[in-house]
């Protein structure tokens, strides 16, 4: 239980880092360069993941189980160096959103949790991450039990960050002229393919590559496709969320965007435990090898569940990308904003004002019959200076008619 407080500190630190760095990228880039900025950010995240996995295995071979202690010293050292680099080298000129009260922060959070499209997107992307989480939830035990104790799940898992580091920048540039949702859709349809490839390892006969188990080979191929899917999805997902955030609330929105990490971990690891127990149980629970082989004959069924989860998420995103109403596009070109500035001087008679408003209303009614959606804004003022941008005393916005 002593590890729980330590993990809590790591969780708290990660919560700060993910939201703040994601928001910093949004602030330091323009809309045109934001996707590229997130691809660089994501490349560096995976460079760190690749480095950690590359160091731990040789270290463990050299000094044994003590490696798990020393890797934490390595991580702490790198984190301190990163902190010093940020303090000494990074200076931001963007101050929007600083100094907000708790009430303003609460109102901003309320806006996020009532934005149903963002909530639906988080749930859809959770499906992708549930499959991706199997890299750590299912794959290690599956490979060791099916391919033997000599299998190296740590090296197999390292394929993912290696492919992301090599490909994420190229894929983001390639998809630069496509929308974020389009890029994400491609990645979402790749993820069930990756799970299907992982399932094939238990279906093939003789070894395709001499000296390498088919389980290991197909797992590597599946992880390559999974990493490519991640390249299509992750930078553009962050870009999409950043563009929904009002100025000064990027950190809150992008922090909320990582809710999928919590959901996919809870559900992904939970499902993994149930499926491993059912289809690929621990060999130590069986008296003979033959009994275990009979119990794990359909071990590849595990991956069919994740094929289904990935496919449902991909189709859901396809539906999400469609306009909510076929007539939306048509109404886009039938929208009239009427701005009526009313100057009130002492000698103006109210009946004249009423007459003018009545005439305007008649015109708007006639337009509405032709399918025009109309919004009327009336500016009221008692002096010409009231009509400047910062000195409008009262603005009444009326939805006169919604065609």
């Amino acid at each position: 239980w002593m590890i729980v407080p330590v993990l809590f500190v790591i969780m708290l630190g990660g919560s700060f880092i993910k939201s703040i760095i994601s928001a910093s990228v949004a602030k330091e880039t323009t809309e045109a360069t934001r996707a590229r900025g997130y691809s660089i950010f994501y490349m560096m995240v995976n460079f760190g993941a690749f480095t950690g996995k590359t160091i731990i295995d040789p270290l463990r071979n050299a000094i044994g189980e003590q490696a798990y202690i020393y890797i934490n010293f390595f991580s702490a050292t790198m984190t301190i160096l990163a902190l010093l680099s940020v303090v000494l080298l990074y200076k931001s000129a963007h101050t929007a959103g600083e100094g907000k009260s708790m009430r303003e922060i609460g109102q901003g959070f309320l806006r996020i949790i009532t934005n149903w499209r963002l909530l639906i997107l988080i749930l859809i992307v959770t499906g992708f991450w549930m499959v991706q989480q199997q890299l750590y939830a299912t794959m290690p035990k599956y490979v060791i039990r099916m391919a033997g104790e000599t299998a190296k799940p740590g090296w197999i898992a390292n394929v993912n960050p290696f492919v992301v580091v090599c490909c994420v920048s190229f894929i983001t540039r390639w998809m630069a002229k496509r929308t974020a949702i389009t890029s994400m859709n491609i990645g979402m349809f790749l993820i069930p393919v990756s799970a299907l490839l992982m399932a094939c390892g238990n279906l093939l006969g003789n070894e395709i590559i001499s000296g390498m188990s088919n389980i290991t080979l197909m797992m590597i191929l599946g992880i390559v496709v999974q990493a490519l899917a991640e390249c299509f999805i992750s930078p553009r997902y962050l870009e999409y969320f950043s563009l929904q955030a009002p100025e000064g609330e990027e950190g809150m929105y992008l922090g909320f965007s990582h809710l999928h990490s919590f959901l996919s971990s809870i559900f992904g690891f939970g499902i993994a435990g149930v499926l491993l127990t059912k289809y690929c149980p621990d060999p130590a629970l069986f008296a003979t090898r033959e009994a275990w082989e009979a119990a794990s004959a359909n071990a590849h069924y595990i991956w069919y569940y994740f094929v289904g989860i990935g496919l449902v998420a991909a189709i859901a995103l396809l539906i999400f990308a469609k306009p909510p109403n076929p007539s939306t596009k048509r109404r886009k070109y039938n929208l009239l904003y009427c701005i009526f500035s009313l100057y009130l001087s002492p000698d103006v008679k109210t009946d004249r004002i009423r007459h003018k408003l009545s005439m305007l209303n008649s015109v708007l009614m006639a337009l509405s019959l032709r399918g025009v959606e109309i919004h009327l804004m009336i500016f009221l003022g008692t002096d010409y200076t009231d009509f400047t941008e910062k000195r409008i005393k009262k603005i009444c916005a009326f939805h006169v008619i919604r065609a």
Side-chain angles (χ1 to χ4, degrees):
W1 289 101
M2 290 297 292
I3 193 66
V4 174
V6 177
L7 292 176
F8 181 80
V9 173
I10 293 173
M11 177 195 72
L12 190 63
S15 300
F16 277 100
I17 289 171
K18 280 194 171 184
S19 57
I20 292 172
I21 293 182
S22 301
S24 297
V25 174
K27 286 188 173 184
E28 301 298 336
T29 55
T30 64
E31 289 189 14
T33 61
R34 192 159 299 172
R36 190 183 305 175
Y38 280 118
S39 72
I40 295 170
F41 160 68
Y42 211 72
M43 180 175 67
M44 297 311 298
V45 168
N46 280 272
F47 181 77
F50 178 79
T51 305
K53 293 185 182 74
T54 302
I55 289 173
I56 187 61
D57 217 44
L59 195 61
R60 183 174 53 195
N61 293 336
I63 63 175
E65 299 300 317
Q66 290 291 315
Y68 294 113
I69 296 175
Y70 287 106
I71 193 65
N72 289 298
F73 293 141
F74 169 78
S75 300
T77 302
M78 296 304 293
T79 304
I80 290 170
L81 290 174
L83 176 61
L84 292 173
S85 299
V86 170
V87 171
L88 297 174
L89 302 177
Y90 176 71
K91 302 293 180 185
S92 177
H94 303 281
T95 58
E98 293 182 6
K100 283 192 172 184
S101 66
M102 290 302 296
R103 182 179 179 180
E104 290 173 319
I105 293 171
Q107 289 171 343
F109 183 72
L110 189 62
R111 281 195 294 273
I112 300 174
I113 62 175
T114 54
N115 189 325
W116 64 270
R117 276 188 66 82
L118 292 185
L119 293 175
I120 289 173
L121 182 60
I122 289 172
L123 292 176
I124 292 171
V125 173
T126 295
F128 159 73
W129 283 104
M130 283 178 66
V131 182
Q132 205 274 347
Q133 292 280 15
Q134 302 319 303
L135 193 62
Y136 310 103
T138 298
M139 186 276 289
K141 290 182 177 179
Y142 180 84
V143 168
I144 289 173
R145 292 173 186 178
M146 300 299 293
E149 294 291 335
T150 58
K152 300 288 186 182
W155 286 112
I156 295 172
N158 223 8
V159 171
N160 179 276
F162 176 76
V163 173
V164 172
V165 168
C166 293
C167 299
V168 67
S169 183
F170 168 76
I171 288 174
T172 305
R173 282 175 176 268
W174 181 39
M175 297 298 295
K177 294 184 179 180
R178 305 288 182 180
T179 65
I181 295 294
T182 300
S183 179
M184 290 165 62
N185 262 317
I186 294 172
M188 292 297 275
F189 277 101
L190 285 175
I191 203 67
V193 175
S194 74
L196 200 58
L197 287 171
M198 293 172 183
C200 289
N202 199 36
L203 300 174
L204 300 175
N206 297 327
E207 290 182 351
I208 296 174
I209 298 177
S210 180
M212 179 184 286
S213 163
N214 286 337
I215 295 288
T216 301
L217 174 63
M218 298 311 294
M219 189 61 64
I220 290 172
L221 291 178
I223 290 171
V224 168
V225 175
Q226 192 181 85
L228 292 174
E230 205 171 333
C231 293
F232 280 100
I233 294 171
S234 292
R236 303 307 297 274
Y237 172 75
L238 293 173
E239 177 202 9
Y240 182 87
F241 249 86
S242 72
L243 294 175
Q244 311 309 308
E247 188 179 6
E249 294 184 9
E250 294 89 351
M252 186 181 297
Y253 272 71
L254 288 158
F256 194 74
S257 74
H258 292 289
L259 181 61
H260 64 70
S261 297
F262 168 76
L263 297 173
S264 61
S265 295
I266 294 294
F267 293 113
F269 277 78
I271 291 172
V274 172
L275 295 178
L276 280 168
T277 302
K278 183 176 182 178
Y279 295 109
C280 189
D282 188 348
L285 300 175
F286 295 84
T288 64
R289 177 74 181 177
E290 290 73 20
W292 175 79
E293 287 178 352
S296 60
N298 295 321
H300 57 284
Y301 282 13
I302 292 173
W303 302 108
Y304 293 157
Y305 285 84
F306 294 107
V307 169
I309 290 170
L311 198 56
V312 168
I315 293 171
L317 186 61
L318 207 59
I319 296 170
F320 176 88
K322 289 184 177 180
N325 190 325
S327 62
T328 300
K329 187 175 181 181
R330 189 167 62 251
R331 285 205 306 268
K332 182 179 178 182
Y333 301 103
N334 291 332
L335 182 64
L336 175 66
Y337 276 93
C338 296
I339 301 177
F340 182 56
S341 298
L342 188 61
Y343 169 59
L344 301 178
S345 63
D347 58 342
V348 173
K349 295 181 180 179
T350 55
D351 56 342
R352 285 185 59 193
I353 299 172
R354 194 176 294 110
H355 177 66
K356 294 288 185 183
L357 287 173
S358 177
M359 289 178 60
L360 178 62
N361 189 54
S362 299
V363 172
L364 297 179
M365 286 290 289
L367 286 171
S368 70
L369 296 175
R370 301 177 64 86
V372 178
E373 185 177 347
I374 299 169
H375 300 260
L376 172 64
M377 295 184 70
I378 302 178
F379 296 143
L380 301 178
T382 56
D383 189 85
Y384 285 117
T385 56
D386 294 331
F387 296 98
T388 60
E389 183 179 355
K390 294 183 179 180
R391 296 195 62 186
I392 295 175
K393 289 187 176 179
K394 187 175 181 182
I395 298 177
C396 301
F398 299 98
H399 241 23
V400 179
I401 294 168
R402 188 172 183 85

